Amino acid sequence: MSYATIRFLDAFERQRDSLSTQHDLILGIESSCDETAAAIVAGGRRILSSVVASQVDVHRKYGGVVPELASREHLRQIVPVVREAIERAGVAMADVDAIAVTRGPGLIGSLLVGVTYGKVLALSLGKPLIAVNHLEGHVHAVLLEAHAAGRSPRLPAVCLIVSGGHTILYCVESQSANGAAHFSYTRIGGTRDDAAGEAYDKVAKMLALGYPGGPVIDKLAAHGNARAVRFGEPKMKGNPYDFSFSGIKTAVLYYLRRNPQLQPEIDARQQALRRGERSADALRALSSPTTLDLIASFQRAVVDDLVSRTLAATEQHAARTVLVSGGVAANSELRRAFEAEAGKRGIEVYFPSRALSTDNAAMIAAAGYARFISGEKEESTLNAEANLPLA
Ligand code: KG4
Ligand code: ZN
């Protein structure tokens, strides 16, 4: 079996001495959606191993995650993935100081696999079990890498979590108590309909660009004119920090209806996908300039909205730091636009590496570490919660 494995040992080796007093080993387990992941993180910041078994091939032909198939796949993967994480870290299960597991939010059947396995492991090893909110994990994906690189993001910060399942803004603060940092979160706004990644995936489905749609749209958008098609800004009453992406998605659908000459190339891409030709280059070769312009304009509308609302929220909360996390944080235009716009306002922006942007268990271990050192632990009655709020 082969897994995407992230090894950060070399980068962290240099810091071994300074970290020698912070060597608590946390085993992180993540199974909230369609990635079965396990990781060993030392002292909340040194990733000894991070193993991710993606189910993307299982769900591809449905154009989205099928919950029932996801739980079955987690059941198949959880034991080998945890074993692989332990082996790659070069530690023994008995060396682990605590087990951190994602409690929610996510697909209930998927969450239950990780929570149940985490409970059984903790019970049989006699180790504490820490419950982690998946969204808190995304916040810690950014903090973990910043700390590991010797940087300390100034808090309070505004964190944008933007993925296939979430588009949400939090204000993140921390207080120190008994030498441990305690993080608190206030919800500022969130999407009222689709998550941004979901909009990428749905638009990719309409245009026959494969699944997941984000990475291909990201690459193809660079070849189109982002000003060619105008999408109106979502008009919403109420909280100015809420998002809405279903309007942009519907606007793409209407554009395609008004431009039936694009149908033959959509059919050609569909056939290419059926033949397994799903690279961005192959799909680009089957895309007209009109389609590339549409893709670039869609991406620009989404990115502009994410960046402008996040920076407005940052200023309103008198924060000088923005953290961006989740699968869509891997988007090159989003990174470029954030850096340019935040730079103008003297705001610092932190992104995780691409490997830690998408779902992984290192971020769950890092979030769990903060809770572990402040003495938290769960009872064996812990249950998964599909709609667990962070704040
Ligand atoms: O965080 P993640 O792995 O899983 C969820 O919790 O949803 O995010 C997956 C989402 C998908 O919607 C995918 O299309 C999107 O992230 N994504 C991207 C990029 N890479 C992944 N969206 C835009 N640009 C990318 N480069
Ligand atoms: Zn996620």
Side-chain angles (χ1 to χ4, degrees):
M1 228 176 288
S2 82
Y3 301 113
T5 304
I6 318 158
R7 293 266 282 172
F8 293 86
L9 270 182
D10 293 345
F12 290 92
E13 211 63 39
R14 276 174 268 123
Q15 299 178 33
R16 188 186 285 275
D17 291 346
S18 63
L19 288 167
S20 58
T21 52
Q22 304 171 27
H23 58 263
D24 289 316
L25 292 182
I26 310 291
L27 165 63
I29 297 177
E30 153 66 33
S31 72
S32 65
C33 188
D34 60 339
E35 262 102 23
T36 320
I40 300 286
V41 174
R45 63 176 65 179
R46 191 156 66 95
I47 303 176
L48 302 187
S49 68
S50 178
V51 178
V52 180
S54 166
Q55 304 177 2
V56 73
D57 290 335
V58 174
H59 302 289
R60 179 170 282 127
K61 64 171 175 283
Y62 306 99
V65 179
V66 182
E68 171 72 8
L69 296 180
S71 344
R72 281 167 194 250
E73 223 23 48
H74 285 303
L75 267 179
R76 222 165 59 76
Q77 297 282 14
I78 191 94
V79 175
V81 163
V82 169
R83 190 176 297 147
E84 180 98 0
I86 292 282
E87 274 170 22
R88 285 184 185 263
V91 300
M93 199 64 107
D95 299 334
V96 166
D97 294 290
I99 294 157
V101 65
T102 305
R103 175 187 197 179
L107 300 170
I108 192 67
S110 294
L111 289 164
L112 278 169
V113 176
V115 166
T116 309
Y117 188 62
K119 280 206 294 200
V120 170
L121 262 187
L123 210 63
S124 60
L125 295 168
K127 308 282 183 186
L129 180 67
I130 317 288
V132 172
N133 184 304
H134 179 81
L135 299 168
E136 181 175 28
H138 277 300
V139 175
H140 280 266
V142 197
L143 296 177
L144 178 160
E145 285 191 318
H147 291 149
R151 301 175 72 194
S152 298
R154 268 186 297 170
L155 300 181
V158 166
C159 184
L160 169 69
I161 299 172
V162 61
S163 70
H166 306 280
T167 300
I168 191 157
L169 280 171
Y170 289 105
C171 181
V172 182
E173 290 172 90
S174 89
Q175 291 89 36
S176 276
N178 308 325
H182 175 80
F183 293 88
S184 61
Y185 308 89
T186 313
R187 189 180 187 281
I188 301 173
T191 185
R192 296 189 185 177
D193 38 60
D194 293 350
E198 196 180 348
Y200 268 92
D201 294 340
K202 287 179 176 168
V203 165
K205 196 169 180 179
M206 287 179 217
L207 291 169
L209 295 172
Y211 172 81
V216 171
I217 290 185
D218 189 356
K219 291 202 182 88
L220 265 53
H223 301 279
N225 173 5
R227 293 173 192 279
V229 184
R230 278 195 59 81
F231 296 105
E233 275 184 32
K235 289 190 186 60
M236 289 184 298
K237 293 205 175 95
N239 186 351
Y241 309 115
D242 275 350
F243 299 93
S244 167
F245 295 107
S246 73
I248 298 176
K249 180 193 68 186
T250 311
V252 172
L253 183 68
Y254 287 161
Y255 184 91
L256 292 176
R257 286 197 188 148
R258 285 197 309 276
N259 290 274
Q261 80 280 8
L262 297 176
Q263 192 57 46
E265 61 175 282
I266 294 178
D267 296 340
R269 287 193 297 270
Q270 201 69 63
Q271 282 163 16
L273 291 172
R274 283 202 200 101
R275 292 192 300 271
E277 293 163 21
R278 60 177 82 93
S279 73
D281 284 344
L283 295 164
R284 185 185 149 205
L286 295 169
S287 304
S288 63
T290 309
T291 294
L292 294 173
D293 287 351
L294 175 65
I295 292 170
S297 304
F298 160 76
Q299 169 155 290
R300 184 187 162 154
V302 173
V303 165
D304 279 358
D305 197 56
L306 290 171
V307 172
S308 61
R309 287 186 206 272
T310 305
L311 292 181
T314 310
E315 290 182 337
Q316 205 246 337
H317 281 75
R320 311 304 308 156
T321 311
V322 169
L323 314 172
V324 189
S325 194
V328 183
N331 186 268
S332 22
E333 182 57 22
L334 186 73
R335 289 179 178 235
R336 193 205 56 72
F338 255 124
E339 265 150 23
E341 292 305 313
K344 283 185 207 159
R345 296 166 166 85
I347 293 170
E348 278 194 303
V349 191
Y350 292 82
F351 290 90
S353 62
R354 278 166 210 265
L356 287 201
S357 296
T358 48
D359 289 349
N360 65 85
M363 69 185 196
I364 303 302
Y369 174 77
R371 295 186 173 276
F372 172 66
I373 53 175
S374 61
E376 260 186 47
K377 66 176 184 184
E378 287 303 323
E379 302 301 322
S380 57
T381 50
L382 172 72
N383 211 345
E385 262 192 65
N387 298 314
L388 184 69
L390 179 55

